[in-house]
């Protein structure tokens, strides 16, 4: 299944899983994560809890699936692809960790026959990752899963 890119709001997606990259520090302070925290406090609560329970390094590569309380049977996927966060163009995305998180999400989606929505350039804007690298991962890992990338205008 080819990955599709659409123009639109990730949070208005019709797919059953909304995935986004998170850091391991328990902070959803900017970008997609900040909006996730605002719209779905249950996602932030689950994220903050796991960040408080595990060593930061242990979190890298995890995919935390949180049922959304939106009455639509959907999930959020907190993809632990960066240890820390910051600004100024530094690369925070850990490619290996993001790959592992994508694999876990892909396995869950296949097992439950779910579709996945991801932000366009996930891990690349604030995370500083290389989009060609990340897009290659998405195309390889999600070959058997319907994935839509949402590009916000």
């Amino acid at each position: 299944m080819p990955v599709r890119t659409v123009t639109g709001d990730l949070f208005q997606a019709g797919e059953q899983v909304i995935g986004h990259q998170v850091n391991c520090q328990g902070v959803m302070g900017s970008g997609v994560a900040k909006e996730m925290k605002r719209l779905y406090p249950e996602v932030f609560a689950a994220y903050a809890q796991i960040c408080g329970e595990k060593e930061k390094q242990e979190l890298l590569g995890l995919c935390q699936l949180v049922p959304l309380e939106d009455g639509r049977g959907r999930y959020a996927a907190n993809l632990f692809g960066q240890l820390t966060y910051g600004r100024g163009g530094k690369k925070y995305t850990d490619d290996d960790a993001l790959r592992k998180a994508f694999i876990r999400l892909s396995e869950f989606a296949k097992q439950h026959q779910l579709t996945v929505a991801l932000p366009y350039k996930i891990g690349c804007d604030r995370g500083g990752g290389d989009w060609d690298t990340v897009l290659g991962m998405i195309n390889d890992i999600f070959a058997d899963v319907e994935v839509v990338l949402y590009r916000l205008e």
Side-chain angles (χ1 to χ4, degrees), residues 74-127:
R74 298 187 311 156
Y75 296 86
N78 292 326
L79 303 165
F80 286 86
Q82 61 186 74
L83 185 61
T84 60
Y85 61 93
R87 304 224 182 223
K90 182 179 172 188
K91 183 179 179 192
Y92 295 96
T93 295
D94 178 321
D95 292 342
D96 291 334
L98 185 56
R99 177 182 300 282
K100 288 176 186 170
F102 280 157
I103 289 168
R104 289 178 166 131
L105 175 54
S106 173
E107 289 169 352
F108 179 81
K110 277 190 267 191
Q111 180 182 2
H112 298 282
Q113 298 180 334
L114 301 174
T115 56
V116 175
L118 296 171
Y120 181 77
K121 289 197 169 181
I122 182 171
C124 297
D125 285 338
R126 286 180 172 70

Side-chain angles (χ1 to χ4, degrees), residues 2-148:
V3 173
R4 290 185 305 125
T5 300
V6 299
T7 300
D9 183 348
L10 176 70
F11 295 102
Q12 299 300 315
E15 288 73 29
Q16 294 127 325
V17 181
I18 299 174
H20 70 120
Q21 179 168 280
V22 295
N23 63 65
C24 300
Q25 304 302 311
V27 176
M28 286 186 173
S30 69
V32 173
K34 183 177 181 179
E35 189 67 2
M36 181 70 78
K37 176 182 175 180
R38 185 183 75 76
L39 292 173
Y40 300 105
E42 67 273 20
V43 175
F44 179 72
Y47 163 75
Q49 181 176 350
I50 198 170
C51 287
E53 291 173 354
K54 293 190 179 282
E55 293 295 321
K56 305 306 181 207
Q57 201 71 34
E58 275 183 81
L59 294 167
L60 278 174
L62 291 183
C63 171
Q64 180 189 37
L65 290 143
V66 181
L68 295 178
E69 296 173 6
D70 64 0
R72 295 171 55 191
R74 298 187 311 156
Y75 296 86
N78 292 326
L79 303 165
F80 286 86
Q82 61 186 74
L83 185 61
T84 60
Y85 61 93
R87 304 224 182 223
K90 182 179 172 188
K91 183 179 179 192
Y92 295 96
T93 295
D94 178 321
D95 292 342
D96 291 334
L98 185 56
R99 177 182 300 282
K100 288 176 186 170
F102 280 157
I103 289 168
R104 289 178 166 131
L105 175 54
S106 173
E107 289 169 352
F108 179 81
K110 277 190 267 191
Q111 180 182 2
H112 298 282
Q113 298 180 334
L114 301 174
T115 56
V116 175
L118 296 171
Y120 181 77
K121 289 197 169 181
I122 182 171
C124 297
D125 285 338
R126 286 180 172 70
D130 176 73
W131 180 234
D132 289 335
T133 300
V134 174
L135 182 58
M137 279 190 243
I138 293 169
N139 283 319
D140 291 345
I141 294 166
F142 293 96
D144 298 329
V145 176
E146 183 181 331
V147 173
V148 180

